């Protein structure tokens, strides 16, 4: 038989699996929009079926903006309210720090960043060394709804939190 994507969805096929089979199944969706839609559809379907509690909690998450190395060095690809995580020390910024894009000045090619303490600093992405493709990561803030018993998969290691890429966390 031929798979007709207009008649069925990956979420439909995933939900047709037993809960035990779902635990052993990894669904790979390469784009953020598609992954978000899949996760939302599965979450809502599991609530409707009674598999998950309707008592939901809102969770702030950071979604990688997927900028390539050239885009990360160009202020035109940044927008206010994105988050920058410095992977390495760079000028006045320390590796592991998160800063929110407060303002984008394309004329002077500078970003004004603000951290959670309220400190404001200028950052010139064009000064990131060209051979340093992992100097910064850029994220968009998003919200997801989660329910008790739901399993979340970590997609970025965090040494300070003792979690690694691929770890699974159960909502309690």
């Amino acid at each position: 038989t031929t798979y007709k994507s207009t008649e069925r969805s990956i979420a439909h096929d995933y939900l047709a699996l037993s809960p035990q089979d779902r635990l052993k199944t990894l669904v790979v969706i390469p784009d953020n929009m598609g992954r978000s839609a899949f996760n939302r559809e599965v979450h809502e379907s599991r609530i409707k079926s009674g598999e998950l509690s309707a008592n939901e909690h809102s969770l702030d998450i950071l979604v990688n903006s997927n900028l390539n190395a050239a885009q990360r060095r160009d202020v035109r690809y940044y927008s206010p309210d994105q988050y920058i995580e410095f992977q390495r020390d760079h000028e006045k910024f320390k590796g592991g720090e998160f800063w929110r894009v407060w303002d984008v000045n394309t004329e002077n090619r500078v970003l004004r960043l603000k951290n959670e303490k309220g400190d404001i600093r200028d950052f010139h992405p064009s000064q990131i060394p060209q051979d340093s493709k992992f100097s910064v990561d850029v994220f968009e803030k998003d919200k997801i709804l989660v329910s008790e018993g739901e399993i979340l998969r970590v997609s970025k290691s965090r040494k300070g939190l003792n979690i690694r890429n691929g770890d699974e966390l159960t909502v309690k």
Side-chain angles (χ1 to χ4, degrees):
T1 62
T2 303
Y3 183 86
K4 296 182 180 177
S5 63
T6 56
E7 295 175 14
R8 292 178 29 196
S9 70
I10 295 171
H12 176 268
D13 291 346
Y14 177 79
L15 289 162
L17 298 172
S18 70
Q20 295 79 16
D21 285 341
R22 281 191 232 143
L23 288 174
K24 298 182 285 185
T25 302
L26 176 65
V27 178
V28 178
I29 302 173
D31 66 289
N32 292 333
M33 192 180 315
R35 185 172 43 257
S36 178
F38 171 83
N39 289 339
R40 199 171 33 258
E41 183 177 345
V42 168
H43 175 79
E44 290 169 1
S45 294
R46 291 179 70 202
I47 288 174
K48 284 180 188 171
S49 73
E51 191 177 330
L52 288 176
S53 168
N55 183 18
E56 298 172 303
H57 303 281
S58 179
L59 185 65
D60 288 335
I61 62 169
L62 294 177
V63 178
N64 198 307
S65 298
N66 294 323
L67 300 182
N68 65 38
Q71 291 169 328
R72 284 192 300 268
R73 296 183 74 247
D74 189 334
V75 297
R76 295 175 298 170
Y77 293 95
Y78 290 84
S79 59
D81 294 326
Q82 283 180 315
Y83 285 80
I84 297 175
E85 178 187 19
F86 289 86
Q87 300 299 316
R88 299 187 176 122
D89 292 353
H90 179 76
E91 297 176 353
K92 302 172 276 185
F93 302 96
K94 299 288 182 206
E97 290 182 336
F98 281 88
W99 290 75
R100 183 167 57 95
V101 177
W102 185 255
D103 184 51
V104 178
N105 184 326
T106 53
E107 186 176 319
N108 294 325
R109 296 186 295 177
V110 65
L111 300 175
R112 177 138 301 164
L113 306 181
K114 186 175 185 178
N115 68 10
E116 60 185 11
K117 297 175 190 172
D119 299 330
I120 296 175
R121 293 186 188 156
D122 287 346
F123 171 56
H124 300 266
S126 61
Q127 293 177 359
I128 296 173
Q130 285 188 357
D131 62 347
S132 186
K133 77 180 210 182
F134 298 112
S135 290
V136 298
D137 279 332
V138 183
F139 300 94
E140 313 281 339
K141 189 174 184 179
D142 198 5
K143 284 189 181 295
I144 60 171
L145 295 174
V146 296
S147 297
E148 185 176 327
E150 204 157 10
I151 297 173
L152 307 177
R153 180 168 286 119
V154 175
S155 61
K156 185 159 174 77
S157 298
R158 298 283 172 212
K159 290 180 185 176
L161 298 174
N162 197 29
I163 57 175
R164 294 187 321 262
N165 183 16
D167 283 355
E168 292 181 342
L169 309 172
T170 302
V171 177
K172 296 188 181 210

